[in-house]
Amino acid sequence: MEMFTQTIAYGILVGAMYGLITLGLGLLMGVMKFLNVAHGTFIVLGGYVSYWLFTRYGLNPYLSIPLVIVVMFLIGLVVYKVTLSPLLKLPSVGNRLNSSMLITFGIIYVMDNLMTIFWKPDVRSIVAPFTGRSLEFLGTKLSITGLCGFAVAIVVAVALYFVLGRTQFGKHVRAATQDAEAASLCGINVHRTYLISSGIAIALAGVAGVIIVSSYSISPNSGLRWLLVAFVVMILAGEGNIHAIVPAGLVLGLLEAVGVFIVGAPYRQVVALVIFIVILIFKPQGLFRKRRLTYG
Amino acid sequence: MLEASNVSAFYGDIQALWNISLAIHGGEIVTFIGSNGAGKSTIMKTIAGLVKPKGGNIVFEGIRLDRLPAHKIVELGISMVPEGRRLFPEMTVLENLEVGASTRAASRLRYSNVNWIHELFPILKERSKQVAGTLSGGEQQMLAIGRALMAQPKLLLIDEMSLGLSPIVVERILQVIQEVNRTKKLTIALVEQDVGIALSVADRGYIIEHGRIVVEGDTKLLQGDGRLMEAYLGVDLKGKAE
């Protein structure tokens, strides 16, 4: 029994983090129809920024989040301006999706190599005084880094829902998604709206990177691993269904934990990818009812 | 108020407008009529900035429009109700109205303007929390006009107002358009398939054929000239169905 509650608790903590690493991917995909396969690589970059702040200035990784957000937001603006914005000239959304995939695939190679030059190919992680420690709650051990990751995931997800659902900017983003031309006729600067959304998406990847570098570890080419997880979560949530991303992350985390409990830890990734395939075969529209990002 | 001179526009290689020159005066209702594909909608889109002219210029209150992006043109005071309404189908009726007030100036008056639109079209108040995609055609057109009015325009462009709507709904919307024109001194340009409707509400009309303006004048004069109507529009307004 104790083993089982431990498994569930672990699944929840990991699941929230899975949701967090998917938010940026889901925003770019669901809102702007850009498929950013370099998402995992941006997560790793965010991790390096936090790692760098920690090793040079001794900054607590969780306190470095605001700085990481600023840096990654600016990088997101540049990435959009240079590589993604030309895609808006393409005639159809399908073209945009395909081309964005190819372009961001190229970004992976450029960034992988740049990060190798800057930070060496070594595996890095932040080892702070609280790393590896855990709290005990009703006989269940919860790691501090896991709990912090969980808290950050919830805060960030709620903030994102609030921005998209309630603010005028969020309405502009959704309007531009549903009909860009009509949005411009309402006085919305569609390019600027996309620009800022891209900045937010990359900043979200950066926050995920902070959680990963303090709970796990990163190396320049470890982005793919997180990209795969984010894909699974996005498919579980249903494309464009940003509301369901964190719940979907929790579902994956729990399924994975239970799966690992049954078949053993070496099969962790196998479990996730089997879930991925099963979902694509039987419920390609996702597990969750499509909900509008609106509060009436 | 708005003056276009020698405007030419293309869709790809196909020329849609040939040296169009026209003027819209403050406070009037002007209409563009003509057969399908004559270029009426293209004129509207060119003024609104969705189609960029290849030649000529368009000046609105002393400012050249033809190089500005669509959202800047909205800021200057020109709103358009696009053909096919083009609402945001997954957003609520209220949100659609709020998005209409996206310019800085309009955003400040958002709340009072929502009330104003609710007075003009009370049904939109009842439907406030409903998703726009679930409205009937007539309600969608009302919402599209309401959304355009939310931007506080000085000039309102309405493309294909009556298309696919029942006569009662058209009547209701026309009343509102005329009321706004009278009470708010709002200038209106109307593209309309139904020549009868167009001429009944407008002060002045342009007849467009093959991307050129062939006749312009007071609607009373246009209506009176049966030969003209028949020649360009294939309608016979005076001697009906003998």
Side-chain angles (χ1 to χ4, degrees):
Chain A
M1 186 62 205
E2 196 178 291
M3 197 62 190
F4 186 72
T5 53
Q6 184 69 52
T7 303
I8 297 296
Y10 181 77
I12 289 173
L13 294 188
V14 172
M17 186 205 67
Y18 284 174
L20 177 65
I21 67 172
T22 311
L23 287 172
L25 183 73
L27 180 66
L28 271 180
M29 177 73 184
V31 170
M32 282 173 284
K33 307 295 175 211
F34 290 133
L35 181 53
N36 176 19
V37 292
H39 181 71
T41 313
F42 285 111
I43 291 177
V44 172
L45 181 63
Y48 274 119
V49 174
S50 179
Y51 173 79
W52 185 73
L53 289 167
F54 176 76
T55 46
R56 286 206 76 150
Y57 303 105
L59 190 60
N60 178 311
Y62 300 110
L63 297 180
S64 76
I65 287 176
L67 271 171
V68 172
I69 286 178
V70 171
V71 171
M72 295 300 286
F73 180 82
L74 294 175
I75 289 173
L77 299 187
V78 174
V79 167
Y80 173 80
K81 268 282 176 204
V82 176
T83 66
L84 297 177
S85 68
L87 300 181
L88 295 178
K89 296 198 188 89
L90 291 172
S92 80
V93 168
N95 288 343
R96 192 197 292 178
L97 210 62
N98 294 343
S99 307
S100 62
M101 191 169 79
L102 290 174
I103 286 176
T104 51
F105 199 66
I107 293 178
I108 294 181
Y109 280 93
V110 174
M111 283 180 42
D112 269 13
N113 287 299
L114 283 177
M115 290 193 293
T116 309
I117 294 169
F118 281 130
W119 287 290
K120 310 268 167 10
D122 305 343
V123 175
R124 312 274 189 182
S125 62
I126 290 180
V127 183
F130 50 79
T131 308
R133 298 222 184 164
S134 52
L135 295 177
E136 226 175 280
F137 180 72
L138 300 176
T140 309
K141 276 191 175 155
L142 303 167
S143 73
I144 304 235
T145 52
L147 283 170
C148 289
F150 181 84
V152 170
I154 300 300
V155 169
V156 169
V158 168
L160 181 66
Y161 299 158
F162 176 81
V163 167
L164 285 179
R166 292 276 181 94
T167 65
Q168 195 69 5
F169 171 74
K171 284 172 195 154
H172 289 183
V173 174
R174 287 183 288 140
T177 311
Q178 290 171 35
D179 190 335
E181 199 171 79
S184 69
L185 285 177
C186 290
I188 294 171
N189 186 341
V190 174
H191 268 284
R192 211 194 52 156
T193 306
Y194 280 172
L195 174 71
I196 295 173
S197 308
S198 302
I200 293 175
I202 302 301
L204 288 169
V207 176
V210 176
I211 301 308
I212 285 170
V213 76
S214 40
S215 307
Y216 299 82
S217 59
I218 54 170
S219 64
N221 57 9
S222 64
L224 187 64
R225 174 182 169 199
W226 304 111
L227 177 72
L228 284 177
V229 174
F231 270 150
V232 179
V233 175
M234 192 166 71
I235 297 298
L236 276 172
E239 188 245 304
N241 204 359
I242 293 177
H243 256 293
I245 284 177
V246 169
L250 291 170
V251 168
L252 179 65
L254 284 169
L255 287 175
E256 211 187 76
V258 173
V260 168
F261 184 67
I262 296 166
V263 297
Y267 299 101
R268 169 174 299 281
Q269 271 208 325
V270 178
V271 171
L273 293 174
V274 167
I275 294 168
F276 183 54
I277 291 166
V278 170
I279 295 289
L280 277 181
I281 292 173
F282 294 105
K283 224 160 172 332
Q285 69 277 35
L287 291 182
F288 296 83
R289 196 165 57 92
K290 176 128 180 143
R291 249 180 80 187
R292 290 175 295 111
L293 270 171
T294 177
Y295 303 83
Chain B
M1 182 182 218
L2 181 135
E3 203 148 341
S5 16
N6 294 316
V7 172
S8 301
F10 292 77
Y11 287 116
D13 291 334
I14 302 157
Q15 185 154 12
L17 298 180
W18 302 74
N19 295 322
I20 295 257
S21 294
L22 59 87
I24 299 174
H25 311 303
E28 73 174 351
I29 300 183
V30 63
T31 184
F32 300 100
I33 45 187
S35 55
N36 257 336
K40 301 164 290 176
S41 293
T42 311
I43 294 180
M44 300 288 236
K45 285 184 186 165
T46 310
I47 296 173
L50 295 180
V51 172
K52 293 288 159 211
K54 282 269 159 64
N57 62 64
I58 305 173
V59 177
F60 177 73
E61 294 187 326
I63 299 167
R64 267 191 81 165
L65 296 184
D66 45 286
R67 299 269 172 271
L68 293 178
H71 65 94
K72 287 276 180 206
I73 292 175
V74 180
E75 274 173 34
L76 293 177
I78 300 178
S79 281
M80 171 152 146
V81 181
E83 185 178 352
R85 352 251 196 248
R86 307 283 289 269
L87 298 169
F88 306 114
E90 291 171 32
M91 296 171 84
T92 64
V93 169
L94 183 61
E95 283 179 327
N96 266 275
L97 289 179
E98 286 173 344
V99 168
S102 288
T103 64
R104 207 166 291 168
S107 182
R108 255 181 247 126
L109 296 162
R110 190 156 88 232
Y111 298 104
S112 61
N113 279 342
V114 166
N115 287 334
W116 173 50
I117 302 298
H118 283 167
E119 277 167 34
L120 292 176
F121 300 114
I123 188 77
L124 296 183
K125 188 175 187 179
E126 282 172 44
R127 301 262 189 265
S128 264
K129 292 191 175 168
Q130 210 167 310
V131 183
T134 63
L135 298 180
S136 73
E139 290 162 353
Q140 289 196 9
Q141 186 63 288
M142 292 177 193
L143 180 54
I145 292 171
R147 186 181 67 181
L149 289 174
M150 287 293 291
Q152 295 263 46
K154 296 172 201 159
L155 169 61
L156 179 66
L157 311 170
I158 308 179
D159 199 357
E160 298 295 5
M161 203 252 349
S162 71
L163 204 65
L165 302 183
S166 74
I168 303 165
V169 174
V170 172
E171 189 58 35
R172 174 79 201 107
I173 294 176
L174 284 178
Q175 275 173 11
V176 171
I177 289 174
Q178 286 176 305
E179 185 190 323
V180 178
N181 169 252
R182 237 182 306 113
T183 58
K184 297 259 171 180
K185 298 273 172 284
L186 178 67
T187 313
I188 294 167
L190 195 66
V191 159
E192 195 35 83
Q193 293 255 322
D194 188 324
V195 180
I197 291 176
L199 294 180
S200 71
V201 292
D203 305 308
R204 234 154 40 79
Y206 287 90
I207 300 181
I208 320 288
E209 198 184 51
H210 304 313
R212 294 179 177 86
I213 292 174
V214 285
V215 178
E216 84 142 296
D218 208 278
T219 42
K220 293 202 181 60
L221 291 175
L222 293 179
Q223 259 172 321
D225 194 337
R227 260 180 327 124
L228 202 74
M229 292 279 106
E230 214 179 323
Y232 290 115
L233 304 164
V235 290
D236 189 355
L237 288 176
K238 289 219 305 234
K240 302 217 149 97
E242 279 99 314

